[in-house]
Amino acid sequence: MDIAVPLAVTIAVHVGCGVVAVVCGPAAMLSRKGSRRHRGFGRIYLGALVGLGLTAPVLAAVDWAHRWHLAALGGLALGAAVVGAAALRLLRPIRLAVHMTGMGSAYVVMLTAFYVDNGPRLPLWDQLPPVAFWVLPAAVGTPVLLGALHRHRAVRPPARPT
């Protein structure tokens, strides 16, 4: 059986979901928390991550020996996003921190998978050592996420006196 057409469709869906997630993630992150815009972009971002998480193992299976880690990263990104989305059902104030950490971590892991897979073929990135593809997204994303957590912590209502 020729797998070229189903594989091409899977690649197209995967790339499309990746582009949507890369655009909608920051759109949600930069919009006012709780606003209609934030929720809308967040839902689209989560849907795109579901698409990435479902297509990643299919694409990795084509060359499992060399790409199994992409399936693992896809599962990790999807898992972090699901935890982030589910956190909205938690009690305040922990829900905001868990939500931001889950969704932000999913974004970092998604970018890590992209750079690990595509970095060696990208201009400028092709000059970097392979370990950079694994480390740079977290090296940039972690301080950004920690800064956002710190900024939103200050908005929290004061604790009740005991």
Side-chain angles (χ1 to χ4, degrees):
M1 177 176 145
D2 186 20
I3 66 163
V5 172
L7 183 60
V9 170
T10 304
I11 291 170
V13 168
H14 188 78
V15 169
C17 287
V19 169
V20 169
V22 164
V23 170
C24 289
M29 292 176 213
L30 296 173
S31 58
R32 188 174 49 81
K33 306 308 168 234
S35 68
R36 176 178 280 170
R37 180 184 199 121
H38 176 80
R39 289 190 314 268
F41 279 123
R43 287 182 182 119
I44 296 169
Y45 170 64
L46 182 59
L49 282 172
V50 168
L52 285 171
L54 294 176
T55 55
V58 174
L59 296 176
V62 173
D63 186 11
W64 190 256
H66 297 102
R67 297 188 185 267
W68 64 269
H69 56 280
L70 297 173
L73 289 170
L76 188 59
L78 180 56
V82 167
V83 167
L88 296 176
R89 300 186 186 278
L90 298 174
L91 297 176
R92 291 181 188 255
I94 192 69
R95 76 178 184 176
L96 183 61
V98 175
H99 174 69
M100 291 172 66
T101 301
M103 297 307 243
S105 297
Y107 196 83
V108 169
V109 173
M110 174 189 65
L111 288 179
T112 301
F114 173 80
Y115 287 120
V116 165
D117 192 39
N118 299 293
R121 295 182 299 280
L122 296 173
L124 298 177
W125 284 84
D126 61 355
Q127 304 299 310
L128 297 174
V131 70
F133 308 134
W134 287 94
V135 174
L136 283 177
V140 172
T142 301
V144 170
L145 177 58
L146 291 174
L149 287 167
H150 180 72
R151 273 190 312 279
H152 288 285
R153 186 185 72 182
V155 176
R156 206 173 19 176
R160 286 189 236 155
T162 55

